[in-house]
Amino acid sequence: MTMIRCISPVDGSVYAERPAMSYDDAAAAVARARKAQKSWAKRPLEERVQLVLKGVARLNEMADVVVEELAWQMGRPVRYGGEFKGFNERSNYVATIAADALAPLKVESSDKFERYIEREPHGVVFVIAPWNYPYMTALNTIAPALMAGNTVVLKHASQTLLVGERFVQAFNQAGVPEDVFMNVFLDHDTTTKLIAAGSFNFINFTGSVEGGRNIERAAAGTFTGTGLELGGKDPGYVMEDADLDAAVDTLMDGATYNSGQCCCGIERIYVNENLYDEFVEKSVAWVSNYKLGNPLDKETTLGPMAHKRFAATVREQIAQAVSKGAKALVDPKLFPADDGGAYIAPQILVDVDHSMEIMREETFGPAVGIMKVKNDAEALELMNDCKYGLTVSLWTKDAERAARLGRDLETGTVFMNRADYVDPGLCWTGCKDTGRGGSLSIIGFHNLTRPKSYHLKKAL
């Protein structure tokens, strides 16, 4: 029997383990979800919405347990209280727009014809969720999928093995039927076989680029719809008219919060030459104030990365950049908890360029490179010199300038004077190797449903 294990970054112990389901058992579970979907979809929309909100409320009641479990599973300090602020904001917002998002599009209503387009649920939605924000990222699909009348099968990353159980426990206790929303423990082979067999009507995956490719390979020929949020290397650009202190505060937080393990975290920064020196000085001071340590300690502000192999990638990128001439400015002596394993000190690098991996490849850790630029044209070229495209953070007082730059940026979201935030009213999407599709907003509902046209002639 294959066991799926979560190795805690706190102390390297096996924190949780569960047996992987066999293919036959998994296929039977999906069949139950498919059987339950029609009756679930027939329930009134408002009833489905309220059941989802009750599930969210029940999960909030588990906050003390959930927050501690997250610290053990992926290292986020307990002082930050988990993900409930964003989790609640997103669920509440999609609830308010569900009726409008799913309303029929009327084309004609006359004595001769009724012509309209309805939104119909896909059927069974498979959510493959990541470990870095395991509740919020999963909710982006789960909440609107259930509200729209789909049933949901959730498979969580092994690093956050208990999240799927807690999620489903809360929703089932709130009244969402067990076959409508279920959690499964699957290994890669079983997952691949289920997808290749056309078991699902829609698949949402958040994870690595290679993981996304594997999903597409498995689904080839099944015509299964997919939503893929993959890698990122999100830039920040600080223009000469930026509010410097606000830029430092937001961009450094975006680069290092959650130990840099954020899908839309800031991974490279370009600063106008007139502000560059001061920006770097203030940024080093900002990052140096972190307290790296055990995430269960309420004094800790920076926990370990989720796994020592993730931290190894960050160290390798830093070492490669330094070997090519970059300078690391944060004093490692300020962070005695750095153990060479999952606990890693934050770092800022200067004298970097795009020959270095730290400015091109996803880092997904608390390290960021800062480059000096002369003007918008140079910054634009550098920001687009990347195979990913999730978000860009622009810092200026000129909204027209930001919008003008935004039109030339190859990205999913253009931020001005903020970063590392998912606005539930806007489509969360990306381009290039960041993936395809989009969640949240009205468009998110549309991606989780299909259009069905009605052309009803009243008189012969």
Side-chain angles (χ1 to χ4, degrees):
M1 178 181 293
T2 301
M3 298 297 293
I4 300 175
R5 293 184 174 87
C6 167
I7 306 299
S8 174
V10 175
D11 59 6
S13 65
V14 176
Y15 178 67
E17 59 181 355
R18 297 289 187 273
M21 298 174 72
S22 68
Y23 176 82
D24 288 343
D25 287 345
V30 176
R32 293 195 302 273
R34 185 167 303 284
K35 183 177 180 180
Q37 189 270 322
K38 294 295 185 183
S39 58
W40 173 249
K42 284 183 169 62
R43 294 198 188 194
L45 171 60
E46 185 57 25
E47 181 181 336
R48 299 195 302 265
V49 168
Q50 289 305 315
L51 283 170
V52 169
L53 291 179
K54 287 179 181 178
V56 169
R58 180 69 188 100
L59 193 60
N60 273 258
E61 293 169 1
M62 303 176 180
D64 290 345
V65 173
V66 164
V67 169
E68 184 173 323
E69 286 179 347
L70 282 176
W72 278 105
Q73 290 174 96
M74 50 77 64
R76 185 181 302 127
V78 295
R79 67 178 287 132
Y80 297 123
E83 303 169 26
F84 288 101
K85 181 179 178 182
F87 186 83
N88 295 336
E89 179 187 28
R90 296 178 195 185
S91 57
N92 290 336
Y93 182 82
V94 295
T96 65
I97 66 169
D100 287 340
L102 299 171
L105 175 62
K106 290 285 186 179
V107 177
E108 181 181 356
S109 181
S110 69
D111 58 347
K112 294 182 178 180
F113 289 100
E114 291 288 339
R115 295 188 297 138
Y116 55 93
I117 303 167
E118 287 189 346
R119 305 299 312 186
E120 185 164 288
H122 286 306
V124 181
V125 172
F126 187 33
V127 177
I128 308 175
W131 51 263
N132 63 319
Y133 281 91
Y135 285 99
M136 286 198 293
T137 52
L139 182 82
N140 291 350
T141 301
I142 291 169
L146 290 173
M147 290 176 186
N150 299 284
T151 51
V152 174
V153 177
L154 172 62
K155 174 194 177 298
H156 234 292
S158 60
Q159 195 63 50
T160 42
L161 195 61
L162 303 183
V163 170
E165 283 187 338
R166 290 293 179 200
F167 222 132
V168 169
Q169 177 189 3
F171 276 51
N172 291 165
Q173 288 177 357
V176 177
E178 291 182 2
D179 289 343
V180 167
F181 181 29
M182 64 177 66
N183 177 63
V184 294
F185 299 106
L186 304 176
D187 60 24
H188 292 307
D189 287 345
T190 300
T191 301
T192 299
K193 289 177 182 177
L194 287 169
I195 293 171
S199 304
F200 308 103
N201 301 104
F202 188 85
I203 301 166
N204 190 87
F205 171 76
T206 304
S208 69
V209 174
E210 189 54 37
R213 291 193 178 108
N214 289 336
I215 298 291
E216 287 200 329
R217 290 188 193 105
T222 67
F223 309 116
T224 305
T226 58
L228 305 172
E229 187 201 321
L230 310 175
K233 192 70 181 175
D234 293 6
Y237 171 35
V238 182
M239 303 176 211
E240 73 282 353
D241 66 336
D243 181 324
L244 184 62
D245 289 335
V248 168
D249 185 62
T250 300
L251 292 175
M252 287 303 104
D253 182 69
T256 55
Y257 182 76
N258 205 41
S259 298
Q261 300 165 132
C262 303
C263 298
C264 56
I266 296 297
E267 296 222 353
R268 52 196 173 110
I269 301 173
Y270 307 97
V271 183
N272 181 274
E273 58 188 0
N274 296 317
L275 295 181
Y276 177 81
D277 290 340
E278 191 175 1
F279 180 89
V280 169
E281 181 182 359
K282 288 177 176 287
S283 294
V284 171
W286 196 101
V287 168
S288 297
N289 283 324
Y290 268 120
K291 180 180 178 182
L292 176 66
N294 189 315
L296 297 162
D297 182 348
K298 291 186 178 180
E299 298 301 311
T300 294
T301 56
L302 192 70
M305 294 189 68
H307 197 284
K308 61 183 181 181
R309 73 176 182 273
F310 305 150
T313 296
V314 180
R315 291 188 176 96
E316 288 167 6
Q317 286 191 4
I318 293 171
Q320 190 238 32
V322 170
S323 73
K324 289 190 169 189
K327 294 179 182 177
L329 300 183
V330 177
D331 186 353
K333 293 179 182 178
L334 296 172
F335 301 93
D338 187 330
D339 62 354
Y343 290 85
I344 180 172
Q347 191 53 267
I348 292 172
L349 295 106
V350 295
D351 296 341
V352 290
D353 59 48
H354 279 218
S355 72
M356 303 171 183
E357 286 189 2
I358 201 156
M359 297 301 286
R360 293 184 292 104
E361 297 293 338
E362 187 168 42
T363 302
F364 220 61
V368 64
I370 306 176
M371 283 182 68
K372 183 189 301 182
V373 294
K374 294 181 179 179
N375 50 43
D376 290 356
E378 183 181 4
L380 177 65
E381 182 178 357
L382 289 166
M383 286 188 283
N384 281 341
D385 182 27
C386 181
K387 61 186 177 183
Y388 304 110
L390 185 57
T391 80
V392 170
S393 178
L394 304 177
W395 288 81
T396 176
K397 295 181 175 67
D398 187 341
E400 289 186 7
R401 180 182 180 186
R404 186 170 61 250
L405 265 173
R407 293 183 189 101
D408 289 327
L409 284 164
E410 297 162 355
T411 188
T413 296
V414 177
F415 289 117
M416 177 177 134
N417 298 334
R418 77 178 313 174
D420 192 21
Y421 172 70
V422 178
D423 183 340
L426 300 176
C427 184
W428 192 242
T429 186
C431 61
K432 300 194 279 191
D433 276 7
T434 290
R436 55 170 297 178
S439 60
L440 298 173
S441 76
I442 288 176
I443 293 172
F445 273 105
H446 288 179
N447 285 336
L448 290 164
T449 55
R450 68 180 184 87
K452 178 183 279 188
S453 296
Y454 288 79
H455 192 135
L456 310 179
K457 185 177 181 182
K458 295 180 179 178
L460 296 177

